[in-house]
Amino acid sequence: MSGPVARLAGLKVGPAQSEPSGDFGLIGLAVMGQNLILNAADHGFTVVAFNRTVSKVDRFLENEAKGKSVVGAHSIEEFCAKLKKPRRMMLLVMAGPAVDDFIEKLLPHIDAGDIIIDGGNSHYPDSNRRTKYLAEKGIRFVGTGVSGGEEGARYGPSLMPGGNEEAWPYIKDIFQSIAAKSDGEPCCDWVGDEGAGHYVKMVHNGIEYGDMQLICEAYDIMKRGLGMSYAEMGDVFAEWNKGVLDSFLIEITRDVLRFNDDDGKPLVEKILDAAGQKGTGKWTAINALDLGMPVTLIGEAVFARCLSSIKDERTRASKLLSGPTPKFTGDKATFLKNLEQGLYASKIISYAQGFMLMQTAAKQYGWKLNKPSIALMWRGGCIIRSVFLKDITSAYRQNPDLENLLFNDFFNKAIHTAQPGWRDVIAFAVQSGIPMPAFSTALAFFDGYRTKDLPANLLQAQRDYFGAHTFQIKPEYANDKFKVGAYTHVNWTGRGGNVSASTYNA
Ligand code: 6PG
């Protein structure tokens, strides 16, 4: 909209004004972008809005943004001209080449010291690259995680900014004003260098995959193992939402289970059981493999989505492969308590694994990740927000160098309390032929992590047997032949000589 119509509506569009009024600029008017603009405008900032299809700018100004401190721009040049310096500009466009395209389009119109923020779900190596590339041009780049969906963007998301730290003093006020608050504290803080913000968002999404899979497994065992109705299951989730599992995802599950279609039947029952995914969970699992970290729960959650998506093949398999018929004979109320505890214990493992991964990444990539602030940022606004994250925040505030979440007294006690019920639930699932991959892998991790001597001694012997891959000796068995720390190869068969040991690099 321009000219008289714009004047009538009291909207500021058209050619750049001599005095720029924009505190913050946003490119990309899909619903997340629109909602972030309205959120920033509600907090007293004048926002300049631009979209590749410019008609969308006018529609937005005439409708959702009407009467708000939002200014439209019809070109990148106008967008830049309307922003106060240093310019603070956020891109909320599709992750990937579109981000690079817009950066190139902005560059001719901006000045040294200006700040470009990418708020999409970008892969962190891209943010590493963009931070370096733009720093060479004197532009400060920020890659920020934005979580909370449409509602979060409008009324308070969780924001996880990282990149060029020089930008932080200039964006802190906007970011912390528009972010969700938890006990009065903003769910936003500086995460770290380069792609650290997008890295933390990636791990957030991986954990989101894990939480969702755990909930789905609890639903499945209630439905097929206990034969519960949707109304009953909705009530269980409602109850769980008052206890240790109190969280956004439990709350929406309660609502989903209670939601009936026009014919009075639960809508969820009619939804095709083939899960989609955009890739952030997969990136987390790949990164965990790259860093050699046992982030098993997120891995299983990704694979569970993959298994779900081969629906046609599963349908054929269901006619050829049989298993036990679930027969529940125990006390239902006790089982449901155990299930709650099992879900809680599995969640503790998942977050412990997520923090192990971030801790390793920080070391590997030279980032100073602040664990208490990460837990705080996830406490409110985001999809994994929960009461549980308050306890994680406290654990890391008590000891920011905590080696593992399971070493904190609160979580140590919690997992030991949950353990018997957790095992009962998984045992029943195994006997019933109902898959609980996320619950099971969490328990397997727990049992492996608390085991001093794993069977990897045999594995090392096998490797050395067939491939001369060498092994190290346990310190208590060291002697002249097998020295501590030395890599030794043994001739296991005696073929081609005596049974002997050769030692390499002590
Ligand atoms: C968030 C969400 C958001 C999005 C996921 C969905 O934090 O607000 O994580 O980023 O909903 O990308 O991911 P999938 O499509 O892969 O499930």
Side-chain angles (χ1 to χ4, degrees), residues 108-384:
H109 308 290
I110 60 177
D111 300 293
D114 284 351
I115 298 158
I116 298 181
I117 305 157
D118 171 20
N121 264 335
S122 291
H123 200 194
Y124 75 91
D126 288 335
S127 304
N128 288 343
R129 169 177 59 78
R130 288 169 186 144
T131 309
K132 288 194 197 102
Y133 171 69
L134 288 171
E136 283 162 14
K137 299 182 182 304
I139 304 297
R140 295 142 170 176
F141 177 78
V142 174
T144 186
V146 178
S147 179
E150 297 172 14
E151 185 85 358
R154 180 67 186 89
Y155 299 108
S158 159
L159 296 171
M160 300 154 240
N164 188 332
E165 197 166 358
E166 285 174 20
W168 183 229
Y170 298 98
I171 60 169
K172 189 176 174 181
D173 58 340
I174 299 187
F175 269 52
Q176 294 197 335
S177 315
I178 66 174
K181 309 290 177 300
S182 175
D183 296 333
E185 292 184 85
C187 297
C188 169
D189 202 353
W190 186 250
V191 177
D193 295 337
E194 303 183 332
H198 275 135
Y199 184 87
V200 166
K201 175 62 174 32
M202 174 189 83
V203 177
H204 163 282
N205 279 27
I207 290 178
E208 173 186 307
Y209 275 49
D211 281 358
M212 293 168 80
Q213 177 62 26
L214 287 169
I215 290 174
C216 290
E217 291 174 15
Y219 149 76
D220 200 19
I221 198 115
M222 282 193 262
K223 188 176 129 196
R224 293 199 288 148
L226 271 57
M228 289 171 68
S229 71
Y230 277 85
E232 283 177 302
M233 291 188 285
D235 291 347
V236 170
F237 279 96
E239 207 44 45
W240 286 356
N241 204 39
K242 296 178 195 151
V244 288
L245 296 177
D246 179 350
S247 61
F248 172 71
L249 285 169
I250 293 282
E251 183 186 318
I252 65 164
T253 305
R254 172 200 68 198
D255 297 346
V256 167
L257 294 175
R258 288 175 170 175
F259 189 95
N260 289 335
D261 198 4
D262 297 340
D263 59 5
K265 299 213 171 79
L267 179 61
V268 65
E269 185 62 30
K270 301 180 182 178
I271 295 178
L272 185 73
D273 50 322
Q277 49 181 320
K278 294 197 196 79
T280 44
K282 182 181 79 180
W283 292 344
T284 315
I286 291 173
N287 180 251
L289 290 170
D290 282 343
L291 295 181
M293 278 292 108
V295 185
T296 60
L297 199 142
I298 296 174
E300 283 295 349
V302 176
F303 285 132
R305 289 195 189 198
C306 299
L307 181 62
S308 80
S309 70
I310 50 170
K311 170 84 181 179
D312 291 346
E313 191 173 332
R314 284 191 291 109
T315 304
R316 285 191 294 279
S318 70
K319 295 183 183 116
L320 298 170
L321 307 171
S322 60
T325 308
K327 226 181 278 135
F328 181 73
T329 50
D331 176 59
K332 199 164 132 190
T334 308
F335 185 86
L336 291 173
K337 270 271 153 253
N338 289 344
L339 188 58
E340 181 185 24
Q341 285 296 304
L343 208 168
Y344 182 49
S346 305
K347 223 173 124 106
I348 295 174
I349 295 295
S350 182
Y351 285 67
Q353 292 181 343
F355 276 90
M356 283 167 79
L357 180 63
M358 290 189 287
Q359 193 161 289
T360 306
K363 265 195 219 132
Q364 181 76 18
Y365 307 138
W367 296 335
K368 290 186 289 297
L369 291 186
N370 180 338
K371 286 183 270 181
S373 359
I374 293 169
L376 169 70
M377 280 182 266
W378 292 352
R379 226 166 65 173
C382 62
I383 303 296
I384 62 170

